[in-house]
């Protein structure tokens, strides 16, 4: 049994599942609309499996509306992973600062009167 | 061949690898010091394999210092995943706002003169 954070990262480790979340970031969608763009490259059971992985990881929720099953993003499901990531922010900001310092040493200052630089 | 973002999330989807990153967030460490806390529960080749996954995903870098191989976090390797996550921030902030609104409706206002509430 995977811990929750591992389950979240594992669910995100797939381009199809991230594409599904990207679609849902634009708004709720029913399962068949969500599946449609992927059916050229994979079967409906494969699409359904991806949705199940997202649902099991708590990244989406499915609700039944009349005869439709509608999916939407569950923000809480991403928060733990984002909080984990936040702890490491200092490391990529540090490397950006180093790049910035380096660029300042290699770029010449703009010439006087040249306002387009 | 996994895309880079999938490789990153996949590398993060394991508690041992996240524990190794947590250790490295305190500072560089040589491979044997980094491996040591895990050797009770797994073999050295298993630990080495985890380090290779982190290195291949670009999350750590190894350098050779005299006879030691030293590991450190590579912040750049996490940035793409953090940027991806950032796009979804609105969803967990939204659900936090909903909770906040709910709590305001169910908690009574503090009584006059009671400064400890």
């Amino acid at each position: 049994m995977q811990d929750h954070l591992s389950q979240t990262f594992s669910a995100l480790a797939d381009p199809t599942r991230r594409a599904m979340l990207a679609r849902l970031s634009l708004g709720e969608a029913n399962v068949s609309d969500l599946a449609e763009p992927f059916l050229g490259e994979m079967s409906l059971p494969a699409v359904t499996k991806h949705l199940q992985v997202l649902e099991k990881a708590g990244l989406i929720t499915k609700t039944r509306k009349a005869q439709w099953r509608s999916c939407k993003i569950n923000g809480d499901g991403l928060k733990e992973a984002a909080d984990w990531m936040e702890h490491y922010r200092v490391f990529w900001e540090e490397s950006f600062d180093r790049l910035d310092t380096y660029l300042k040493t290699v770029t010449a200052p703009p010439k006087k009167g040249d306002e387009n630089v």
Side-chain angles (χ1 to χ4, degrees), chain A residues 14-35:
Chain A
D14 182 277
T16 303
R17 294 196 287 268
R18 291 196 305 276
M20 287 168 165
L21 289 173
R23 164 64 192 83
L24 292 174
S25 75
L26 306 173
E28 277 190 47
N30 67 50
V31 173
S32 53
D33 286 347
L34 195 55

Side-chain angles (χ1 to χ4, degrees), chain A residues 33-52:
Chain A
D33 286 347
L34 195 55
E36 203 272 325
F38 304 101
L39 293 178
E41 50 193 282
M42 63 183 78
S43 66
L44 183 60
V47 171
T48 309
K49 183 79 198 296
H50 280 305
L51 286 173
Q52 279 169 352

Side-chain angles (χ1 to χ4, degrees), chain A residues 10-93:
Chain A
S10 188
L12 296 178
D14 182 277
T16 303
R17 294 196 287 268
R18 291 196 305 276
M20 287 168 165
L21 289 173
R23 164 64 192 83
L24 292 174
S25 75
L26 306 173
E28 277 190 47
N30 67 50
V31 173
S32 53
D33 286 347
L34 195 55
E36 203 272 325
F38 304 101
L39 293 178
E41 50 193 282
M42 63 183 78
S43 66
L44 183 60
V47 171
T48 309
K49 183 79 198 296
H50 280 305
L51 286 173
Q52 279 169 352
V53 173
L54 288 170
E55 195 181 11
K56 221 173 151 186
L59 295 171
I60 65 170
T61 49
K62 271 194 218 147
T63 47
R64 193 172 281 276
K65 287 186 177 180
Q67 76 272 45
W68 301 106
R69 281 176 306 150
S70 183
C71 300
K72 67 172 185 170
I73 287 185
N74 176 29
D76 288 345
L78 272 169
K79 193 173 183 314
E80 190 189 359
D83 285 347
W84 182 91
M85 206 73 90
E86 197 56 32
H87 176 69
Y88 295 88
R89 173 179 291 275
V90 61
F91 293 98
W92 68 83
E93 284 185 343

Side-chain angles (χ1 to χ4, degrees), chain A residues 109-117:
Chain A
K111 280 179 285 179
K112 254 188 185 170
D114 187 350
E115 286 171 3
N116 293 320
V117 171

